[in-house]
Structure formats: structure tokens, C-alpha cells
């Protein structure tokens, strides 16, 4: 049965930063829990208001991991500056893919959208993306985990919507912490709440059909994350081997990560 993750009652609703939350409280290895205030996730920070920026600055962040590519940054803008925070850009997708994606989202006509996204092709595009990130972005995930294990905390992870690339980076981190898969999934699905969803901007006249065709691209679905888990299992056989062989993240590094990020 899917677990309901710990969601702080005082979780802020930021005006210009979507999908923000603290991962603290999630169950982890050895009966412990993720320590509050060490790992956060969100959508991009480019449109943070002055109040948002003050709040983010109050978190004591050491590192912000931005998983967007240059096309995403051109579309949304660079992150706001948070004094004293180390900004690490680790693109989890190619700029050419990002350029094509945003051109389709903002300006794709009905025929183009039908040909690319109808009849399950949008969902298939998403599962393919999740599979590719797990298999082809091992160096980026390795660098991220080693950074956390070395103490670059507290950390915030984001991409554009804070759902896919950031969602997988968070999932990989939580798996390394021994968080059960159903708890990882439950947190991931929080990104599908209406107030967390990325707002789709259209530069051409839109229609209910266009929005319906685009919707799977901006949804958090169980099948997407399940594809990532299946890719780990099918390629490496287990999370332990994925971390050790795929990411070069040793048991000793995992223990350092857990000591820094778990409580109880």
C-alpha cells in the first residue's frame, strides 16, 4: 500500500516558486527518517518574488542543484541569486531536446500536437525520458550524491517544474537513504496537485484539445516513476548495484550520506 509522506502543516505556498517542499520526515533505513531542513525540492527559482527569495534565504541552503538545460533557462530565466548559496547546474537533458520541447508546448499547432502526442504518445514520451535519464545521466546523479555525502547541505533540487528531472534526482537520493519505494512514489505524486502543476503557456490560440494533449507532459504519474524503477532493476538488478556500479557510490559513501541526512 502506498505510504502518505510527511508533509509539514506549515509548508509554505510561495508566490513565484511552484512545487516547493521539505523532504524531511520521510521514513528511511533502520527505522530512521529524513532529517527536516536538509533536502528541499521545487520548480525553478527564476520567478521568485522578493518574499520568496527572503524565505529561501532563511533556509540556510548550502547548494541549489538546477537540473535544467540551457534551453529551459532561456525559456524561464536564470535562478534568483541567494547570497552565500552554491549554485550547481547539472543538466539532465539535452538543450536541443529542450528547444524542441518548448517550441512544441508554446506554439505547436493542432496537427503537430496530434501527431506527436495523441494516442498515448505523450505518456510514452515521458516514460522514455525517465528511462533515458536513469541510463544516460549516471555521471550527473553520481556527482550529486557525492556532493551531498561530502556535506553540501542543506540542498534544494529543482528543474523547470520540479517534477521529472528533479523528481528523479530526489528519488535517487531517497533510494540511497533507504526510503521505501512506495514512500518515494507518494512524495513524487504530490507534484500532481493542481496548485503544484507547471502553468502551460501558449503563444498561439489554444483549445481544450491542445491542453488535453499536452497534459501528460506536465503530470506526475505512477507509470513514469515505475519506468525509472524498472530501468534500475532491469539494467543493474537492484538499487544496491545501481548505486555501486552505475553511480560509483560505495557503501561507505552511502553511510556518510545517511549520517548527514537521517535522524532517529
Amino acid at each position: 500500500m502506498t505510504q502518505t509522506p510527511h508533509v509539514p502543516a506549515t509548508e509554505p505556498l510561495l508566490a513565484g516558486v511552484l512545487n516547493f517542499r521539505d523532504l524531511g520526515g520521510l521514513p528511511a533505513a533502520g527505522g530512521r527518517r529524513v532529517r527536516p531542513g536538509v533536502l528541499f525540492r521545487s520548480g525553478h527559482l527564476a520567478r521568485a518574488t522578493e518574499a520568496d527569495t527572503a524565505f529561501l534565504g532563511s533556509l540556510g541552503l548550502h547548494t541549489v542543484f538546477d537540473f535544467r538545460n540551457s534551453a529551459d533557462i532561456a525559456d524561464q530565466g536564470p535562478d534568483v541569486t541567494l547570497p552565500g548559496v552554491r549554485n550547481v547546474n547539472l543538466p539532465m537533458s539535452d538543450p536541443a531536446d529542450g528547444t524542441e520541447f518548448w517550441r512544441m508546448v508554446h506554439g505547436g499547432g493542432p496537427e503537430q500536437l496530434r501527431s506527436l502526442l495523441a494516442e498515448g504518445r505523450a505518456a510514452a514520451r515521458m516514460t522514455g525520458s525517465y528511462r533515458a535519464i536513469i541510463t544516460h545521466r549516471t555521471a550527473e546523479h553520481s556527482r550529486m550524491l557525492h556532493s551531498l555525502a561530502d556535506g553540501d547541505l542543506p540542498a534544494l533540487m529543482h528543474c523547470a517544474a520540479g517534477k521529472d528531472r528533479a523528481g528523479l534526482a530526489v528519488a535517487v537520493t531517497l533510494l540511497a537513504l533507504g526510503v521505501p519505494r512506495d514512500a518515494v512514489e507518494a512524495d513524487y505524486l504530490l507534484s500532481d496537485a493542481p496548485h503544484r502543476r507547471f502553468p502551460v503557456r501558449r503563444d498561439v490560440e489554444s483549445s481544450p484539445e491542445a491542453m488535453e494533449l499536452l497534459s501528460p507532459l506536465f503530470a506526475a504519474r505512477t507509470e513514469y516513476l515505475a519506468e525509472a524503477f524498472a530501468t534500475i532493476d532491469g539494467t543493474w538488478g537492484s538499487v544496491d548495484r545501481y548505486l555501486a556500479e552505475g553511480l560509483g557510490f560505495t557503501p561507505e559513501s552511502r553511510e556518510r550520506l545517511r549520517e548527514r541526512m537521517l535522524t532517529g
Side-chain angles (χ1 to χ4, degrees):
M1 185 174 71
T2 299
Q3 296 189 30
T4 301
H6 170 73
V7 180
T10 56
E11 181 178 315
L13 291 177
L14 305 181
V17 178
L18 293 176
N19 206 11
F20 174 89
R21 58 189 178 275
D22 184 345
L23 281 299
L26 287 171
R32 291 180 287 178
R33 289 187 175 273
V34 178
R35 190 186 305 276
V38 298
L39 182 61
F40 304 90
R41 62 182 294 172
S42 73
H44 70 78
L45 310 183
R47 294 172 194 151
T49 65
E50 184 175 340
D52 295 342
T53 302
F55 170 78
L56 294 170
S58 75
L59 299 176
L61 294 171
H62 180 287
T63 307
V64 170
F65 291 100
D66 181 354
F67 301 119
R68 297 180 297 166
N69 58 49
S70 59
D72 301 317
I73 296 171
D75 181 78
Q76 293 125 33
D79 283 346
V80 296
T81 299
L82 299 175
V85 176
R86 175 173 171 253
N87 293 282
V88 178
N89 182 226
L90 279 178
M92 293 283 185
S93 57
D94 294 329
D97 294 336
T99 299
E100 182 270 334
F101 178 83
W102 293 115
R103 185 181 295 124
M104 173 187 66
V105 169
H106 297 322
E111 290 187 9
Q112 181 193 22
L113 294 181
R114 288 189 205 107
S115 68
L116 293 174
L117 304 176
E119 299 177 343
R121 287 188 286 274
R125 177 187 182 119
M126 295 303 297
T127 54
S129 172
Y130 277 51
R131 184 168 55 250
I133 289 172
I134 291 297
T135 55
H136 300 319
R137 299 292 170 174
T138 52
E140 289 85 350
H141 282 141
S142 175
R143 179 180 168 189
M144 173 198 73
L145 283 183
H146 281 98
S147 176
L148 297 178
D150 288 343
D152 292 345
L153 295 162
L156 182 148
M157 300 180 179
H158 79 81
C159 50
K163 171 180 72 76
D164 303 313
R165 292 163 292 183
L168 286 178
V170 166
V172 168
T173 303
L174 295 179
L175 290 176
L177 292 172
V179 175
R181 292 189 186 192
D182 58 351
V184 176
E185 177 189 292
D187 172 74
Y188 166 79
L189 292 175
L190 290 176
S191 295
D192 210 43
H195 70 282
R196 297 182 186 278
R197 297 272 298 252
F198 190 87
V200 178
R201 190 188 85 236
R202 296 279 287 161
D203 297 333
V204 296
E205 186 175 351
S206 195
S207 67
E209 180 193 19
M211 299 307 289
E212 183 178 354
L213 288 168
L214 289 166
S215 180
L217 305 179
F218 296 94
R221 294 184 176 178
T222 299
E223 66 196 84
Y224 301 165
L225 188 62
E227 183 65 25
F229 290 156
T231 301
I232 289 173
D233 294 339
T235 305
W236 289 278
S238 69
V239 168
D240 288 346
R241 286 186 59 192
Y242 163 66
L243 293 169
E245 299 173 16
L247 306 188
F249 198 63
T250 65
E252 292 77 17
S253 294
R254 288 178 73 178
E255 188 55 36
R256 285 193 296 121
L257 183 77
R258 292 177 178 185
E259 286 303 309
R260 293 185 185 279
M261 298 187 67
L262 299 183
T263 187

